[in-house]
Amino acid sequence: MRRLLLALPFALLPLAVTQAAVEHDHDHDEHGSLSAHEHGVGRLNAALDGQTLELELESPAMNLVGFEHAATTDADKAKVAAVRAQLEKPLVLFNLPKAAGCVIATQELESPLFGDKPDADDHDEEDAKDGHEHELDHSEIHAHYQFSCSAPGALKTLDLATIFNTFPATQKIQVQLISPSGQQGVEVTAKAAALKF
Ligand SMILES: [Zn+2]
């Protein structure tokens, strides 16, 4: 009996923790996104594991498209389509060396500007109005790529110069890089756009 009573709080704990995490995320998305999302600043997670290279670029839409509202005019729609086409050529965009023999295994682009619905749990029915305005204020573009590289040893550096040239409103990219030589967090700018794997 005593054992059961001791076990009980622990049994309840995971649920409480999960609940707290959900609440926290919700708060963060609703009130924290403005500080997390700074125009001119992109984020990139890069991971090299064996032959698999994974790149995850998260950027304010402003950096890539020049605006963050839903495209309604023909000019805006054309701009969004052009950016999307550029993001669909990650081998060019990330300047991956041919010698590494990387091919795209998966790629996924996500943004309210591409017509994707924002995360469902951000928007309860009752605060749909409020949430909608936030969505109009700021939106991001997320691009997630997975490459299979036949000669990953040829990946000596990750050169982001093409990204800065293609999207000049991007001033810096905060990179988290995980590679066989360890993990590093680096802030990359147009002037110093390459980092070592
Ligand atoms: Zn914004």
Side-chain angles (χ1 to χ4, degrees):
M1 193 59 189
R2 186 180 175 147
R3 201 176 265 186
L4 182 66
L5 283 175
L6 281 174
L8 199 57
F10 290 103
L12 291 172
L13 195 61
L15 184 66
V17 168
T18 307
Q19 191 60 36
V22 167
E23 292 293 333
H24 179 81
D25 271 0
H26 193 80
D27 279 357
H28 181 78
D29 278 338
E30 273 201 343
H31 308 291
S33 57
L34 299 189
S35 54
H37 160 135
E38 187 186 336
H39 291 176
V41 181
R43 303 174 302 280
L44 176 70
N45 294 315
L48 179 61
D49 181 17
Q51 296 196 321
T52 302
L53 172 65
E54 199 163 349
L55 297 174
E56 201 169 4
L57 178 68
E58 300 181 344
S59 174
M62 185 63 80
N63 302 5
L64 309 185
V65 183
F67 55 83
E68 301 198 337
H69 55 263
T72 48
T73 66
D74 285 348
D76 283 358
K77 285 177 186 169
K79 182 73 190 154
V80 169
V83 166
R84 190 177 181 130
Q86 282 163 322
L87 291 172
E88 283 169 350
K89 296 190 185 78
L91 293 170
V92 176
L93 211 50
F94 289 95
N95 217 357
L96 297 178
K98 285 217 169 67
C102 298
V103 294
I104 301 165
T106 62
Q107 76 175 9
E108 201 177 340
L109 302 178
E110 209 176 71
S111 174
L113 272 68
F114 298 153
D116 296 324
K117 293 239 160 61
D119 292 346
D121 42 303
D122 283 359
H123 299 280
D124 299 330
E125 291 296 332
E126 72 260 30
D127 65 19
K129 257 189 202 159
D130 187 45
H132 196 62
E133 280 174 27
H134 277 287
E135 221 34 70
L136 289 177
D137 282 349
H138 285 277
S139 43
E140 298 226 321
I141 293 176
H142 293 177
H144 190 184
Y145 311 99
Q146 214 172 37
F147 307 92
S148 176
C149 304
S150 57
L155 292 169
K156 304 282 188 218
T157 59
L158 182 61
D159 181 7
L160 303 181
T162 308
I163 293 189
F164 286 106
N165 290 336
T166 310
F167 305 116
T170 300
Q171 285 150 17
K172 59 182 176 185
I173 300 176
Q174 294 164 341
V175 184
Q176 285 292 328
L177 178 68
I178 301 171
S179 72
S181 54
Q183 181 170 2
Q184 48 177 325
V186 192
E187 211 167 76
V188 175
T189 62
K191 281 185 182 157
L195 56 157
K196 287 201 170 79
F197 269 105

